[in-house]
Amino acid sequence: MFSALTEEQREFRELVRGFLAEKSTEADVRRLMATEQGYDPQLWRQMAEEVGLQGIAIAEEHGGQGFGWIELGIVLEEMGRVLLCAPYFSTVVLAASAIAESGDAEAAAARLPGIADGSTIATLAFPGENGRWDAEGVTARATREGGSWRISGTAPSTIDGHVASLFVVPARTDEGVSLFLVDRGDGVASTSLQTLDQTRRLAVVTFDGAAAEPLGEPSAGAATLERVLDLAAVGLAAEQAGAARAAFDMSVAYLKERVQFGQPIGAFQALKHMAADVLIEVESASSASSYALWAAAESRDQLPAAASLAAAFCTDALVTACHQNIQFHGGMGFTWEVPAHLYFKRARADEILLGDADFHRERLAQRIGV
Amino acid sequence: MSTVAVESDLDAVRAEAQDWLAQNWHGVDDPAWNRRVAEAGYAAPTWPAEDSGRGYSRAQARAVAAVFDAAGAPGAARELRGFHEYPWLELMGGPIRAYGTPEQKRELLPRLLAGEFGVGCLLYSEPGAGSDLAGLQTRAECDGDEYVVNGQKVWTTGGHLADTALLMARTDWDVPKHAGLSFFIFPMRQPGVEVRPIRQMTGDAEFNEVFLTDARVPAANLIGGPGNGWKVLQIALGAERRGMGEMAMGTAKTSTRPSLYALSDDLVEAARAAGRSDDPVVRQEIMRIHAWRLTNEWNNARALEEFRTNGASSLASLGKLANSRILHGAAALRYRLLGNRALQYDEAADDEAYRIDYDLMFAFINSIGGGSDQIQRNIISERVLGLPKGFEPDKGVPFRDVLKADATRSLG
């Protein structure tokens, strides 16, 4: 069973929260989401150099802090709270996990230090054209030409694909699904998409005979990919739990300050009851996320089920918290000025990003043997 | 290093308990034995010494329980066994420990721990005061060193079996409604206490109406002083809500699989038995309930952790409300999966169908009893989230005048 955070972990949370409160204010989010890149390269460097955030779960031998998924979960929750605009999820959760989980020591030694020190932005070029979030959904094709590999295929909604310099690409080979590393260069093209959630960008990434480097054992690609997708679901759930709490905090503050019919609207039972119901979702999302992070850190046999459970639960909880946050705010909630819509858009985008809640509930059913 | 210290500390606790058992346990489980266990502080060892405990940690209390178990001696560390086994330790013990005088603690707590109060019931609700509990009208009037009690209570679970009640009664009619209430430990076996069963929707009669006519309770059994009953009651209500939030869920108990998998085996089996375990709608619903059950379990675990570190937890107030959808949802799904069989309600003919039908109705115990879900939502939003109270027409009004206003309204 998972346990409470240690003193050190609580202090680390305060450190990250303080850093992000200063560096990622609502004004910063609004400014960055309107830029072409969608993030601040200077802040990205500070994150790596001042707090070591990109390397938090990367081994010390590869330039990281050597912590694990509990600490990474803390970072993700805090980033979710403030809707940080940065290619963190793509670089650290998707790409760095894929490199670490592949068991490819050479690739880890070559690539993880660049991620840890903030010089590399990376992502997972997935899902493929059929949009499926499992190994079956791999549509890219890798072929051997002499001693080297070439990849062709399209990943139509790659997170931060417009700024990544390194891509982890799952592709079909004669041996099945394998993972490859592709550096941005000849044969790699990306086009930014206009996104519902402007705080997290997507791009169409096309590989046209791009040079590729195998990552891990070719035959282990499907298993590694599945593990990475589970870890990604856990990471996203942590972000969602943090964002849900932030959206709900916003609701509660408004319920206390907004006066109608001669009293704060939080005195009305209809809204009180809605608030109590949302609180249960928010707290339960924290519990589901904590359990899944614990499984990622300490109990890998429970990871698949815990990941799908957290993915389904936190997805629904965040949608509920953000939907009701707008409803609590009434007309104000529908405006561009009030940040409720930013959380709502993040919630709805997250809902689809790694497969929706129904998809994960069905996965959970299969994984617990139903 | 610290684990060695803890281990030697546990050894000392074990040795002391063994010595004590060697001198006191003669293999007879009777009232005298229970009294001795309570007076030695072994009945609830995590309670402090002034509350008839020993101020032990949970680990030390578990060590004591193991020593008693090994000797075949009953009655130790009852507080570790959970609310459902010994609810009165919290329902009655909580208020006495929080608000009792030193004398009351010395007198009442050993009796409670020894089981001498017998079966308990709660004399809280009244026909006119359910959700608005502070509006109750049962009166207790001081008469020397006793109080005389008159009034009517309702929804008294187990009243027909009870030896002792926790009674809420009004002792002052000239102050606002919350300020005139008092909390008593009330003997049920006396003239002037009439218990009439109420037949419930399940067909059972566990609830009762209780009529109190010149019944008597010693003034020494008034906890927290006259007029302080509302705050004393909150301790007992909090314990009841937490207990309901921890109500057993699913059928994981006999499984060797971790609860992450096994907690909803009851629903999975029901779907298989109905031939519908491949039905995507049923699968979604099972997984939704499964996630409610697990997250509620994890919330409770977090609440325990918060109690350990902070002495309080706002999470603890969520369990009862969260449990309502679990109990209603699981019962309704199992009912539908049973199909036509569930139309019969006959324990002798079809025990399983009877049980499922029963649960379908009994789920309301959680969503209405101990404060309805609506009251629970008010409590959460006001006490946990700090939202303002709504308009209270009776706020600050002497209760006597609240009653007159009611009478005027009902006369039109």
Side-chain angles (χ1 to χ4, degrees):
Chain A
M1 193 50 199
F2 67 99
S3 57
L5 296 183
T6 63
E7 187 62 35
E8 288 78 13
Q9 287 164 341
R10 284 204 296 273
E11 280 170 16
F12 177 62
R13 179 188 293 284
E14 289 313 309
L15 172 78
V16 176
R17 184 171 294 183
F19 177 81
L20 291 174
E22 190 190 320
K23 305 287 185 185
S24 179
T25 63
E26 186 191 331
D28 294 321
V29 171
R30 287 178 183 274
R31 178 171 51 80
L32 291 172
M33 70 186 213
T35 62
E36 202 169 307
Q37 284 188 311
Y39 81 106
D40 176 357
Q42 193 193 330
L43 175 59
W44 183 254
R45 275 195 299 279
Q46 287 177 326
M47 283 165 56
E49 288 162 14
E50 291 176 21
V51 204
L53 294 184
Q54 285 92 326
I56 191 73
I58 290 175
E60 283 173 293
E61 58 180 303
H62 297 135
Q65 312 280 320
F67 293 106
W69 273 86
I70 305 292
E71 288 78 8
L72 180 54
I74 290 170
V75 173
L76 291 164
E77 255 180 78
E78 295 303 320
M79 289 180 171
R81 270 181 92 90
V82 299
L83 302 179
L84 177 76
C85 296
Y88 189 87
F89 183 80
S90 49
T91 301
V92 174
V93 177
L94 293 174
S97 294
I99 294 166
E101 294 292 322
S102 72
D104 189 327
E106 211 172 297
R111 303 294 192 160
L112 291 178
I115 289 179
D117 71 18
S119 57
T120 302
I121 290 175
T123 191
L124 179 70
F126 201 66
E129 287 167 89
N130 67 0
R132 285 185 54 168
W133 274 92
D134 50 31
E136 300 288 301
V138 173
T139 48
R141 180 91 209 162
T143 48
R144 199 192 285 270
E145 282 180 18
S148 60
W149 287 86
R150 303 254 166 217
I151 280 187
S152 291
T154 299
S157 54
T158 299
I159 303 169
D160 299 316
H162 63 305
V163 289
S165 60
L166 173 66
F167 298 86
V168 177
V169 190
R172 296 200 171 276
T173 67
D174 293 340
E175 294 170 78
V177 170
S178 306
L179 297 182
F180 295 88
L181 291 172
V182 176
D183 290 294
R184 187 181 283 273
D186 286 347
V188 180
S190 65
T191 311
S192 284
L193 299 172
Q194 282 288 352
T195 43
L196 170 70
D197 171 18
Q198 292 175 284
T199 65
R200 176 152 31 226
R201 298 302 178 79
L202 302 171
V204 185
V205 180
T206 307
F207 303 98
D208 184 9
E213 195 183 298
L215 175 65
E217 289 298 319
S219 56
T224 305
L225 181 63
E226 179 152 300
R227 215 156 49 240
V228 170
L229 294 177
D230 281 341
L231 291 169
V234 174
L236 189 67
E239 269 195 26
Q240 287 170 317
R245 197 169 287 277
F248 185 59
D249 287 349
M250 211 182 136
S251 299
V252 173
Y254 192 71
L255 287 168
K256 289 177 184 173
E257 85 191 19
R258 171 68 172 171
V259 173
Q260 291 276 270
F261 304 102
Q263 56 182 334
I265 59 173
F268 292 106
Q269 277 206 348
L271 301 186
K272 273 186 180 158
H273 289 193
M274 225 160 92
D277 287 340
V278 177
L279 178 66
I280 289 182
E281 302 304 334
V282 169
E283 289 293 354
S284 302
S286 284
S287 292
S289 160
S290 300
Y291 192 93
L293 288 165
W294 169 81
E298 307 278 344
S299 178
R300 282 297 180 96
D301 58 326
Q302 292 198 49
L303 175 64
S308 278
L309 192 147
F313 198 93
C314 295
T315 287
D316 283 347
L318 179 58
V319 167
T320 299
C322 294
H323 178 106
Q324 299 297 50
N325 187 38
I326 293 181
Q327 192 68 29
F328 283 128
H329 279 76
M332 294 303 291
F334 196 67
T335 65
W336 190 267
E337 285 84 59
V338 170
H341 71 100
L342 302 180
Y343 285 89
F344 178 82
K345 289 167 184 170
R346 172 65 76 89
R348 285 297 186 186
D350 283 356
E351 182 181 15
I352 304 292
L353 206 59
L354 303 183
D356 67 17
D358 292 336
F359 169 81
H360 280 288
R361 269 189 291 271
E362 174 54 35
R363 251 175 158 215
L364 173 64
Q366 288 168 19
R367 288 169 164 191
I368 65 176
V370 178
Chain B
M1 198 180 86
S2 65
T3 48
V4 174
V6 167
E7 201 39 55
S8 69
D9 175 46
L10 289 181
D11 282 343
V13 162
R14 282 189 202 102
E16 194 179 345
Q18 270 153 358
D19 283 351
W20 186 85
L21 277 173
Q23 286 167 33
N24 290 278
W25 174 239
H26 306 299
V28 184
D29 177 16
D30 62 7
W33 163 249
N34 283 310
R35 202 46 182 317
R36 270 207 298 284
V37 176
E39 281 170 354
Y42 283 127
T46 64
W47 292 9
E50 65 265 29
D51 293 351
S52 296
R54 300 178 74 91
Y56 281 0
S57 67
R58 287 179 72 84
Q60 289 171 319
R62 277 195 293 275
V64 167
V67 168
F68 272 64
D69 285 349
R78 293 170 192 246
E79 82 275 39
L80 298 183
R81 310 280 286 274
F83 184 84
H84 284 275
E85 201 158 340
Y86 291 113
W88 300 96
L89 289 193
E90 294 302 326
L91 289 173
M92 196 190 295
I96 297 171
R97 292 174 59 200
Y99 292 108
T101 61
E103 198 179 3
Q104 284 175 324
K105 291 183 181 190
R106 265 198 312 278
E107 163 64 16
L108 299 173
L109 289 174
R111 287 171 61 195
L112 171 64
L113 290 168
E116 290 169 18
F117 287 108
V119 175
C121 69
L122 303 174
L123 295 178
Y124 297 165
S125 293
E126 298 185 1
S131 288
D132 183 12
L133 189 53
L136 59 87
Q137 295 186 47
T138 291
R139 59 177 68 223
E141 282 159 331
C142 195
D143 178 25
D145 57 2
E146 288 187 324
Y147 277 80
V148 181
V149 184
N150 282 283
Q152 183 191 346
K153 296 287 178 179
V154 72
W155 317 128
T156 309
T157 307
H160 55 304
L161 307 170
D163 304 298
T164 307
L166 301 185
L167 168 72
M168 285 297 290
R170 188 168 302 279
T171 46
D172 188 346
W173 298 68
D174 296 316
V175 291
K177 64 179 181 179
H178 292 92
L181 302 173
S182 298
F183 184 100
F184 295 92
I185 292 171
F186 176 83
M188 288 290 283
R189 311 275 187 197
Q190 61 167 311
V193 176
E194 189 198 342
V195 181
R196 292 186 201 157
I198 300 170
R199 193 163 187 217
Q200 300 149 214
M201 67 188 289
T202 55
D204 287 348
E206 301 165 300
F207 295 154
N208 301 274
E209 293 177 290
V210 178
F211 296 86
L212 302 163
T213 312
D214 292 333
R216 292 188 166 257
V217 57
N221 285 15
L222 196 172
I223 308 296
N228 290 322
W230 187 253
K231 72 175 185 198
V232 182
L233 174 69
Q234 297 316 308
I235 304 279
L237 288 178
E240 186 183 10
R241 288 175 187 132
R242 280 197 302 281
M244 291 176 90
E246 290 160 12
M247 267 166 84
M249 297 173 293
T251 55
K253 289 172 196 65
T254 56
S255 178
T256 53
R257 302 199 298 159
S259 69
L260 181 55
Y261 306 95
L263 189 62
S264 295
D265 281 351
D266 58 330
L267 301 179
V268 174
E269 279 158 24
R272 287 201 180 119
R276 293 183 64 190
S277 56
D278 292 332
D279 179 335
V281 176
V282 170
R283 293 167 72 83
Q284 286 287 320
E285 197 166 342
I286 294 175
M287 289 306 111
R288 216 181 277 275
I289 297 167
H290 185 54
W292 292 341
R293 285 172 167 178
L294 277 169
T295 52
N296 193 34
E297 211 178 57
W298 296 335
N299 284 344
N300 285 334
R302 283 175 57 212
L304 266 181
E305 194 72 43
E306 288 184 9
F307 270 117
R308 261 200 289 278
T309 49
N310 309 328
S313 171
S314 55
L315 276 165
S317 60
L318 303 181
K320 180 175 178 291
L321 180 57
N323 226 354
S324 286
R325 68 177 178 185
I326 295 168
L327 295 171
H328 281 294
L333 177 60
R334 295 192 65 196
Y335 175 78
R336 291 202 307 279
L337 287 172
L338 205 58
N340 268 14
R341 259 178 75 193
L343 296 175
Q344 182 174 250
Y345 188 59
D346 181 345
E347 191 171 12
D350 188 337
D351 178 53
E352 190 189 3
Y354 175 84
R355 179 50 48 193
I356 287 169
D357 287 0
Y358 191 94
D359 287 349
L360 185 71
M361 296 180 271
F362 200 70
F364 284 104
I365 292 292
N366 189 84
S367 61
I368 296 176
S372 68
D373 282 356
Q374 286 65 38
I375 292 295
Q376 197 61 19
R377 288 186 175 97
N378 287 350
I379 289 169
I380 291 166
S381 53
E382 286 167 15
R383 297 193 198 156
V384 179
L385 301 176
L387 295 182
K389 284 185 172 292
F391 176 54
E392 298 167 277
D394 53 5
K395 188 175 182 183
V397 179
F399 191 68
R400 203 180 286 286
D401 298 332
V402 174
L403 286 178
K404 283 176 198 151
D406 272 352
T408 313
R409 263 204 300 278
S410 63
L411 289 171

